[in-house]
Amino acid sequence: NSNTPELLKNVLVTGGAGYIGSHVIYTLLRTHKYKVISIDNYHNSFPAALTRVSSLALSELKESSPEPSAQDIDSTVIDVHECDLINPTAVRSIFSSYASKGGIWGVIHIAAYKAVGESSEIPLTYYANNVAATISLLQIMQEFHCTRLIYSSSATVYGVPPDIPIKEETRREGDSVYGRTKVMCELIIEDFCDSIMNDGETNPFQAISLRYFNPAGAHPSGYIGEHPRGRPENLLPLLAHMAVGTVTDPVLKVFGNDYPTADGTCVRDYLHILDLAAGHVIALQALEEGSELNAKVFAGSTSSNGKFKAYNLGKGHGMSVMQIVDAMRKATGHDYKTEVIGRRRGDVPELIADPALARAELGFDAPRDLETMCRDLWNWQVKNPTGYE
Ligand code: WQD
């Protein structure tokens, strides 16, 4: 009858315990439409993140509906697998364990190494972990007739973009090993969508590539947040650790102020991690064959067989390094000292999204402002100075 709830769709998230993965999983759990499966090798993340995500979703569920259904409660339980994506046997056994439970409906592939600087030092590790693992995942998805993929891509696929703000049809050109791994994976996924292997499938393979600009912030509860292993490389988490004292550098080293920007430092398009996560849920809904959203997203799809579409996830305005330092000075009360040193290899002057396509076709928006990002980041860091440990 009408009020029997739809069965939960099994959705696999690779890199589920990471900063992006944990916030994406939190947002998936709160829809109560999915049974979320996490694969992570904890190379740059902590299993505790998933325990917190699940208990946060359960407590919010109980707040919002005092008598939650058994299925809604079950949808806040994550199936957690410690597994290396480059191990096809392990990944295959996970897929087969769901074959009798309706199979894996879709995959959100987030797991990757992402340090631009490091990637030029150990390129083979990056190509193995980011590219070879993606090929292996696609092969296994094909074996198990899993035909829906959301790929975690990055604005770095644009290299030094010819125009700002950046539209999705801009040519791709990775300017670092890391950036090239993202370009290669998009091309591999596109070619797979176009391959004849999709013929005869009840559902042709459909992929949406989400090109993240700079995600920042944390869930406002401060219960989950960003906790990379070792020293944080990215600007905002580094500033948060400096303010809370877990990084004792006396100054923030600014990697160059001789860029062609207003104050000479690099400009990036920062968006709140929960807005980014919400974009993944919309993209997942767009993979539902027969839905209006699916028809709109893939209407212009050129490929003859499967379908591929890329979207920028950004706010459409940029902030310079110095503006970020100012925003964190206000949020944390910490009086940062800065020292300008040489440029960092692989950095580009400006990356600002043209957010029009995702807004028009997915109805995606990133309303949370920089002050909110800094406040939520600081709230997480103050409550968890040493992260999940
Ligand atoms: C931001 C700006 C630095 C640290 C990277 C990846 C991207 C995505 C997000 C994965 C830059 C400057 C930084 C410091 C500094 N990751 N900076 N001193 O490089 O824009 O993007 O992380 O998806 O793919 O490339 O982010 O936070 O590292 O740097 O001056 O100590 O801050 O030069 O201009 P980035 P970031």
Side-chain angles (χ1 to χ4, degrees), residues 114 116 153-156 178 182 212-215 231 233-238 252-256 259 265-268 270 321 344 347-348 351:
K114 64 151 195 167
V116 171
S153 188
S154 168
T156 30
Y178 164 73
K182 289 295 174 181
Y212 305 166
F213 280 70
N214 286 59
R231 179 187 160 87
E233 292 290 318
N234 294 125
L235 179 62
L236 273 154
L238 180 60
L252 171 82
K253 291 189 170 64
V254 175
F255 300 144
Y259 285 97
T265 65
C266 293
V267 171
R268 296 287 183 271
Y270 297 88
V321 177
R344 177 174 70 177
D347 275 346
V348 300
L351 286 172

Side-chain angles (χ1 to χ4, degrees), residues 109 111-113 125-134 178 181-182 185:
H109 178 30
Y113 293 159
T125 306
Y126 268 66
Y127 286 121
N129 191 64
N130 292 7
V131 183
T134 298
Y178 164 73
T181 67
K182 289 295 174 181
C185 286

Side-chain angles (χ1 to χ4, degrees), residues 79-98:
D79 287 356
V80 178
H81 297 268
E82 176 170 2
C83 161
D84 221 318
L85 213 53
I86 38 186
N87 174 349
T89 314
V91 177
R92 199 169 274 122
S93 70
I94 290 171
F95 270 77
S96 52
S97 70
Y98 287 89

Side-chain angles (χ1 to χ4, degrees), residues 280-321:
H280 290 70
V281 174
I282 304 170
L284 209 50
Q285 287 159 354
L287 291 178
E288 306 219 6
E289 298 83 4
S291 70
E292 241 177 80
L293 191 53
N294 183 270
K296 193 189 323 180
V297 161
F298 292 110
S301 175
T302 47
S303 58
S304 50
N305 298 295
K307 307 207 167 40
F308 177 86
K309 190 65 172 281
Y311 289 103
N312 291 334
L313 294 188
K315 282 179 75 72
H317 38 257
M319 303 300 277
S320 74
V321 177

